[in-house]
Amino acid sequence: EDVTKYVGHLKNERGTHALLTKKKAKKLSKKQDELVNNYTYTKEDIEMLVKEKKKRNKKSANIGLEKTRMAITVRAAEDAVKEVERQLVDAEVARMEADSEANEMVADENVMELKKALEEANNNLLEAKAEQNGIIKEDEERSNKLKQNSKIQNWDKVNKRAKMANQSADFAAFKE
């Protein structure tokens, strides 16, 4: 099936002068099988696969873990913004105190780099907060969905009746 699709594609794109031969097909198949069976995943590959999986599957299995992770990420992003702002203030002071034109130019470049870093840190903070809000929204949706579940509503009714029965029994025992 794959070979017929490939041959059809080659006929449409290149004409008949570069068709796939049986020998080339076996080589391609062997090479593909070798890559599939012997591939070693690198750290970057794994991180990329995890990110892709999170993009495809928006729902988290462990919402508590995700909330904690995002709270830490947001806090780290806020700290990074504060640190870059502090460095920017120090760089601007150094630029004002520069005694020569060469030192002033170096200080200007440093200020520009720190402004870019501040903008990037702010963007990271906004992304982290957006992801955190998404996780909070997902948690609320889960709890609302559970509240809508008829089994849970039925058990809630049973628990309320039991509580009322216990209160009336307590009240009757107190009367005596």
Side-chain angles (χ1 to χ4, degrees):
E1 181 183 329
D2 291 336
V3 174
T4 56
K5 285 182 182 178
Y6 183 66
V7 169
H9 178 72
L10 285 177
K11 283 182 180 179
N12 291 338
E13 294 296 319
R14 298 185 191 163
T16 58
H17 66 279
L19 283 179
L20 182 66
T21 63
K22 193 172 186 179
K23 188 176 182 181
K24 283 183 182 179
K26 283 184 179 181
K27 278 187 176 180
L28 285 173
S29 176
K30 190 175 182 180
K31 188 175 182 181
Q32 182 181 10
D33 289 343
E34 185 178 324
L35 282 173
V36 169
N37 294 330
N38 298 329
Y39 186 75
T40 304
Y41 288 97
T42 63
K43 186 176 180 180
E44 293 82 20
D45 292 336
I46 294 169
E47 289 173 359
M48 183 183 68
L49 290 172
V50 168
K51 284 182 182 178
E52 286 178 6
K53 186 175 180 181
K54 282 187 178 183
K55 285 181 183 176
R56 279 185 275 126
N57 185 10
K58 297 290 182 183
K59 302 291 181 189
S60 174
N62 189 344
I63 201 95
L65 175 70
E66 289 296 317
K67 280 178 145 181
T68 304
R69 183 185 63 78
M70 283 314 304
I72 292 169
T73 304
V74 167
R75 182 71 179 139
E78 288 172 348
D79 290 344
V81 168
K82 288 178 184 175
E83 178 65 23
V84 172
E85 286 175 345
R86 186 191 58 75
Q87 289 177 357
L88 182 60
V89 168
D90 291 346
E92 288 176 345
V93 168
R95 180 177 62 179
M96 289 180 200
E97 293 175 350
D99 54 354
S100 69
E101 198 166 308
N103 288 342
E104 189 174 332
M105 289 182 69
V106 170
D108 282 340
E109 288 177 14
N110 193 14
V111 167
M112 295 302 287
E113 288 175 12
L114 286 171
K115 284 183 179 179
K116 289 178 184 176
L118 179 62
E119 185 177 325
E120 186 177 325
N122 281 325
N123 288 340
N124 289 341
L125 177 61
L126 291 175
E127 288 174 7
K129 283 186 176 182
E131 189 173 346
Q132 184 181 37
N133 290 337
I135 290 172
I136 290 170
K137 187 176 181 181
E138 179 183 330
D139 187 32
E140 290 171 356
E141 287 174 0
R142 279 186 181 186
S143 63
N144 289 339
K145 187 176 180 182
L146 286 174
K147 289 176 186 175
Q148 301 289 326
N149 190 340
S150 62
K151 285 183 180 179
I152 292 173
Q153 288 177 349
N154 291 338
W155 278 109
D156 193 37
K157 289 176 187 175
V158 168
N159 288 336
K160 284 181 182 178
R161 283 194 302 258
K163 188 176 180 181
M164 294 290 282
N166 287 340
Q167 286 177 349
S168 64
D170 289 343
F171 185 69
F174 184 71
K175 269 184 163 179
E176 296 174 1

